[in-house]
Amino acid sequence: MGSYRIRRLRIPQNIIDVLEKNNLFSCKDVLTLTKLEFQTILGINRSKAEEILNEVAAKCVSQPNTAYDMYLKQKSLSSSGFLPLSLHSLDLLLQGGLPFGCITEFAGPPGVGKTQFCFMLSILSVLPSSAGGLSSKVIYIDTESAFSADRIKTMAQKKFPHLYKDDQNLANLLQSIMVYKASCIDALKEIIPNLEREVIRNKVKVIIIDSIASLVRKEFGGEQLGSLIQRNNILMEQAALLKNLAQAYDIVIFLTNQITSHIAELESVAMDIAEEDENISSAYVGVPPPVCSEKKVKLHGGNADHVVPALGNTWSHCVNTRLVAQFLDSSVRQLIIAKSPVAPNAAVRFFINESGIVLTGDDIEFINMSDPLNRTIQTKYNFLTSEVTGTGTVFTASATSRQ
């Protein structure tokens, strides 16, 4: 807990400001100082300095909670611990909507509605609490230059015409969505560590990143093992920061993810290398072993054509809830709850119109996720028609398209 930010401690703001001006941002930073150094920096007496240092030190020791304490906390948050999505069947399955204090991922192929879902969340977050929203500001990190204020305006007018019929309310809506543009990994790594300040200053309750996969796949898209390890290290670092932020301030972190053909797990390749190294070492006792060339990640034979969420198995363990969208035909999509601590593996169907995401009905389909690798995500290209392509060739969906 040494990385715990002093800004979260219950100490006067003027003391926090002085510490941060001296590049002391975490509990670990503060505890590297002697009592005299700490007292001198703040210009306070010895007893006050010891009082603050004791509070800082206490945060570096993890204190357990009883299961009963956690039960009471969850019970108290049962009605307000979720962001309702205004999609009845999906809210019902998720026990109320997207959970606060967690990371939710929305994965799917191009055009399935990932960015539209982000726009809908932005509106619902800013929406007055009397209308089922959070009455809060939103941080929106756009990595694909897909953000459209005009689309959000149209969606709000169509979905909530009684609230957004005048220009002033629309202006207030758009002013409550703070948009960051990240065109490279370095930009994203600079933005995420500084989100905490904006969350505190603007009382943000929702952070959206569209998409988490875009930049890392663009900059570390090679199959070389070293590239994948570096990519995973960056993802784990950012995921840890986001999860810490979600839990510390009880906010919703919502990320979109792309899809990819299924490849071998990085861990399994590393294991293969370790086993080979062990065999090499035993075969060359007393003689330097030959230098091994860098391994490439191998495709999983029969599973090589399976389309699954990108970023691999290691990343999948960083998210608390995973929603996966796919096409059922050229206009109707299916949204699957692939992973959730509170919801069953189930699916609803939806389409997209001017008002945003719309369920086709209240039907719920329960999904067998016992072997998720044998479930391939259906993309729009499975359902192309001559009208869509303009080539005169008619494309039809395969018999396996509806799962």
Side-chain angles (χ1 to χ4, degrees), residues 82-85 87-99 321-323 334-349 359 361-367:
F82 298 89
L83 168 59
L85 299 172
L87 303 172
H88 180 263
S89 298
L90 188 57
D91 283 336
L92 185 66
L93 287 167
L94 292 171
Q95 309 295 315
L98 300 185
T321 301
R322 168 173 274 180
L323 307 177
Q334 183 185 55
L335 183 59
I336 301 170
I337 302 174
K339 175 184 177 182
S340 169
V342 297
N345 296 130
V348 296
R349 299 185 181 194
L359 296 184
D362 290 331
D363 294 339
I364 293 173
E365 179 184 359
F366 290 95
I367 305 294

Side-chain angles (χ1 to χ4, degrees), residues 152-202:
I152 290 179
K153 174 185 172 184
T154 301
M155 192 182 292
Q157 288 175 317
K158 296 294 182 180
K159 193 171 183 68
F160 303 102
H162 59 294
L163 291 174
Y164 297 109
K165 57 186 177 183
D166 61 77
D167 292 341
Q168 185 57 51
N169 284 346
L170 283 170
N172 292 338
L173 166 68
L174 297 177
Q175 287 171 358
S176 297
I177 304 172
M178 299 176 289
V179 183
Y180 288 87
K181 294 285 187 177
S183 58
C184 63
I185 283 292
D186 287 340
L188 187 65
K189 289 170 67 176
E190 184 176 333
I191 292 170
I192 290 179
N194 293 312
L195 290 178
E196 183 176 15
R197 183 170 298 175
E198 294 302 320
V199 169
I200 296 171
R201 181 182 302 165
N202 295 292

Side-chain angles (χ1 to χ4, degrees), residues 95-106:
Q95 309 295 315
L98 300 185
F100 289 111
C102 298
I103 296 178
T104 299
E105 178 196 71
F106 187 114

Side-chain angles (χ1 to χ4, degrees), residues 21 42 65 80 104 115 126 145 228 249-250 260 287 344 400 402:
K21 284 180 181 178
L42 294 178
N65 291 314
S80 60
T104 299
T115 298
V126 178
S145 298
L228 291 179
Y249 296 99
D250 200 29
T260 186
V287 180
T400 61
R402 294 180 184 270

Side-chain angles (χ1 to χ4, degrees), residues 281-302:
S281 297
S282 60
Y284 290 85
V285 177
V287 180
V291 177
C292 296
S293 59
E294 191 173 30
K295 286 270 183 178
K296 285 190 176 182
V297 175
K298 309 168 188 176
L299 290 176
H300 252 314

